[in-house]
Amino acid sequence: MTPSPTVAAELLRLALGLGRFTWLGNLAFGCAIVLVLAHDDRLLQGLAWWVVLASALLARAYLCLRLLADATLRARHGAVLYAAMAVIEGSVWSAGLLVVPAPSALGALLQFVLSTVILIGTVLSFGPVRCAWFGQTVPLAFGQALVLIVQPPALRDVVGLAWLLTVALSAVAAYWWRRVLVENLALREQADAAAHAQERAALELHRSREQLRLALDAIDAGVADTNLFTGERFFSARYAELLGYRDRAAFLHAHRFSAALHPDDRARVLHARQRHLQEDVPFREEFRLRTAAHDYVWVQARGESVRDAAGRATRFVMSIVDITERREAELRLAASERRYRALVEASPSLIWTCDAAGRLTFVSARACRELYGYEPLEMIGRHVAEFNAPEFRRREFVRRFAPALRGRAVFDAEAIHLSRAGERVYVVVSALPVRDDSGRIEAVYGICSDITALKRRERELNAALRNQQLIFEAAGEGIAFVRDDRIESANGALAKMLGVTRERLVGRPVGEFLARPEEWDAVRRASLEAAARGEAAIHEAMLRAPAGAGRSAWCQLTARQIGDDRGATILVLTDITLLKRREELAWHQANHDELTGLPNRRLLVEHARRLLSVAMRQRRRAAVLVLDLDGFKEVNDLFGHAYGDALLRRVALRLASVLREYDVVARTGGDEFVVLLPEIEETAVALRVAEKLVVAAREDLEAAGRSLRTHASVGVALFPDDGNDFEGLLARADAAMYAAKAAGKNRFRFASEVAAGRASEAQGELQRPDGSGDERRLH
């Protein structure tokens, strides 16, 4: 049953009225769910969810009050806003069931009972508005269904069936509730319509009774009826009103037609009436009548007489219409004509008319003298083409102006005329033909506006533009004009910077020439903000030619808006590729070890803080490993520092080769290396990496008849078990490394074992120095 717009609006208002108060019940049910969660030791999660629910419910109450107070907003967007609020509220209930479920069976059952009550309760506040009811019910039903899926099979089947029945019952109740409201409101609407119809019928009956009496009063004309034999008079209310009388009795006592006539009109009007009565000459006159305020109004009168069988006039009926405004309009028209003539003469443009043959019949005197140097009579009668300059040939005249002589309007046609002194006068001509009743061209009205000064400035501007174009082409920096995010023009320096032709640049989107196209949006916003301050925006960006057809270059991009045109921008691009390369080299040298090329301690700290922050947010494990070469001093003493440097480079390569792509290895000084392992699943991963590092650091050295074996000691600290910050993890890993050295070197130790004082040789030992005891071989 589709309700009428009036019923639908009343349903919405009723739902909003209920929504102002039912939110308190929902808030109470939310508290009940929080108590259930508190019973299951989930009070904090329940309170957090309850705060979100309370915000949504308060928003609903505020929205209801706002829409009830603002009828215009309610009529336009009320149903949509109320439905959106219902969706939000249903989503909050559903989120509470999914995100903060009760872990115990009893809590889940209580949650289910409360969800059932809420679902049934939505019928009251959201049922009158179908889309709002669906917006509340669908998320809640879906959320409770998902919760039931994870329940034990026995409980799930029973409660699931109950939930389906509840949803069906809620749908039936919402349908019934809305149908009852629609029917009641429709009946009330019909009753109101019937009452209004009855009132209109009574009013029409009253009007029909009064129609005859008011007919004369309703028309604009006043009517006077005089019995010529008895002297009896009748005047309509409009007649008295036209003469300014409010009291009918006072009007009948004071008004006499002949006495009310203006002295200047009295003889003429009375004579016309007498001729009509005696000779049946039509009575059509305009004259003035005195009003109650003793001033006069102009009226137009029409008279008709009723005659007997002998042809004698027995009654005289006259109607009058107030034409005071028309007469005043005629006076204003005459004044307007005088003002028009004054305006024509005051205009600096030549206003003219010519006949169908093109000969001038009128010219404005001032412009005739000042613009052309002629007297008006010297121009009148001459053909309009006689004033053309020699370079404005007849062919141009016929093409631009002749259409006006053939019946078509001409607007803004440029022409070159000669003044009396022989000087060029540049004008813009507009002409409009006028036709007579037979459709033939009667005259042409036109205006010539002087644009001589404008043409001079145009020539100067063209010269300036040519100079600017030369500067534009000769500039050493890249310059581009951009309109609506596309390159409108570009100079040769920009094309050379990208290694493409200028034709490849023009008409293409600016973003295509940026290594990161999305940067253009930031540049455009920055230029608009800078334009508000009267400044230009400066931005560094990487340019690239599209499809690899040119080369890439770093540039400093200066963007400035052109005037008030928000879609037009001028870009000046300075090539800073060499500067960026020097900056990148300086950054690399400042953040990497010069000998091995690995990150140094500064870059390691940056990586560690970022990666550990990510691990903390994602609740992942991580590890910090400190590796120190055993016997490196002997290598320098036996083979020399150059050999030791080469050893460090080889060890660095082998360490990097055993790590994952996103692991970090850095040299922090001397023969010490630090490894950062982000996102590890378990401690065994750190153990395996430590084993690989020890194996990778081992090397047998021989030179000049001397031999030496190098290996490494490794300390391992785990995040978050051994600390939450990098400095603390590094210190514990360093202590574990020294513990590994103290335990015999060529092994690794965990910081947790060192802190607890437990022996870890069985876990970290590769091979005991004496070859005895329990050992772990690394493969």
Side-chain angles (χ1 to χ4, degrees), residues 197-370:
Q198 186 175 3
E199 290 177 1
R200 286 195 300 270
L203 181 61
E204 289 297 330
L205 180 60
H206 178 72
R207 287 176 180 174
S208 64
R209 291 175 177 175
E210 296 293 326
Q211 184 175 7
L212 183 60
R213 184 180 63 84
L214 297 177
L216 294 176
D217 296 339
I219 62 176
D220 187 58
V223 178
D225 182 8
T226 305
N227 190 319
L228 299 177
F229 289 158
T230 66
E232 180 184 3
R233 300 181 300 163
F234 168 79
F235 297 94
S236 68
R238 178 61 178 163
Y239 189 101
E241 181 181 347
L242 290 176
L243 298 182
Y245 288 92
R246 300 293 181 181
D247 185 5
R248 186 176 184 83
F251 167 73
L252 293 175
H253 175 75
H255 179 71
R256 293 293 182 272
F257 177 73
S258 58
L261 287 169
H262 192 279
D264 296 339
D265 302 328
R266 182 177 295 121
R268 171 175 58 84
V269 174
L270 293 178
H271 177 69
R273 187 179 70 166
Q274 189 65 27
R275 288 189 61 200
H276 169 74
L277 295 176
Q278 294 178 355
E279 305 174 15
D280 200 16
V281 176
F283 181 80
R284 307 286 187 272
E285 296 292 334
E286 292 182 2
F287 50 86
R288 288 161 284 184
L289 284 177
R290 187 172 63 243
T291 67
H294 299 288
D295 56 2
Y296 290 89
V297 294
W298 277 95
V299 298
Q300 184 181 62
R302 296 170 62 93
E304 296 291 341
S305 58
V306 179
R307 299 181 180 273
D308 58 15
R312 293 177 301 175
T314 60
R315 304 180 72 89
F316 179 68
V317 180
M318 181 181 66
S319 65
I320 60 173
V321 177
D322 188 351
I323 60 170
T324 305
E325 292 185 0
R326 193 193 76 184
R327 297 286 295 201
E328 292 177 353
E330 291 174 352
L331 294 175
R332 289 195 298 269
L333 182 60
S336 176
E337 184 178 357
R338 291 192 296 273
R339 288 194 298 270
Y340 167 75
R341 290 186 176 275
L343 180 63
V344 168
E345 296 304 323
S347 173
S349 299
L350 180 70
I351 300 172
W352 53 269
T353 61
C354 70
D355 58 19
R359 298 193 176 278
L360 292 172
T361 58
F362 169 80
V363 290
S364 55
R366 175 192 170 188
C368 180
R369 298 186 182 99
E370 296 180 358

Side-chain angles (χ1 to χ4, degrees), residues 567-629:
T569 309
I570 182 171
L571 303 179
V572 179
L573 302 98
T574 305
D575 192 342
I576 59 171
T577 303
L578 294 178
L579 178 62
K580 293 296 290 186
R581 289 175 180 171
R582 294 193 189 102
E583 289 180 354
E584 291 172 358
L585 179 60
W587 183 88
H588 187 275
Q589 291 175 346
N591 292 277
H592 289 79
D593 177 47
E594 183 179 0
L595 178 62
T596 63
L598 294 176
N600 60 14
R601 186 180 186 86
R602 179 192 302 175
L603 187 56
L604 172 67
V605 171
E606 292 181 7
H607 283 312
R609 289 176 177 171
R610 175 174 54 82
L611 294 175
L612 290 179
S613 176
V614 173
M616 182 177 295
R617 289 197 303 271
Q618 297 181 353
R619 298 184 180 181
R620 303 292 295 273
R621 299 174 65 81
V624 176
L625 296 84
V626 176
L627 181 147
D628 188 85
L629 295 180

Side-chain angles (χ1 to χ4, degrees), residues 313-452:
T314 60
R315 304 180 72 89
F316 179 68
V317 180
M318 181 181 66
S319 65
I320 60 173
V321 177
D322 188 351
I323 60 170
T324 305
E325 292 185 0
R326 193 193 76 184
R327 297 286 295 201
E328 292 177 353
E330 291 174 352
L331 294 175
R332 289 195 298 269
L333 182 60
S336 176
E337 184 178 357
R338 291 192 296 273
R339 288 194 298 270
Y340 167 75
R341 290 186 176 275
L343 180 63
V344 168
E345 296 304 323
S347 173
S349 299
L350 180 70
I351 300 172
W352 53 269
T353 61
C354 70
D355 58 19
R359 298 193 176 278
L360 292 172
T361 58
F362 169 80
V363 290
S364 55
R366 175 192 170 188
C368 180
R369 298 186 182 99
E370 296 180 358
L371 194 59
Y372 289 90
Y374 289 101
E375 289 297 324
L377 292 178
E378 294 177 318
M379 295 186 72
I380 291 176
R382 299 173 62 177
H383 196 275
V384 293
E386 294 184 26
F387 302 95
N388 293 337
E391 58 268 30
F392 189 66
R393 299 178 180 177
R394 181 174 180 81
R395 183 177 180 180
E396 284 294 315
F397 169 79
V398 171
R399 184 177 67 85
R400 298 185 184 183
F401 182 74
L405 299 177
R406 293 195 293 267
R408 295 204 308 269
V410 174
F411 298 103
D412 301 330
E414 292 189 7
I416 307 175
H417 290 167
L418 281 179
S419 68
R420 186 170 189 174
E423 298 176 347
R424 266 63 177 170
V425 180
Y426 293 85
V427 295
V428 171
V429 182
S430 295
L432 186 68
V434 177
R435 299 179 184 272
D436 58 17
D437 295 338
S438 63
R440 291 179 299 181
I441 297 176
E442 185 178 51
V444 177
Y445 292 83
I447 182 170
C448 293
S449 300
D450 184 12
I451 59 169
T452 305

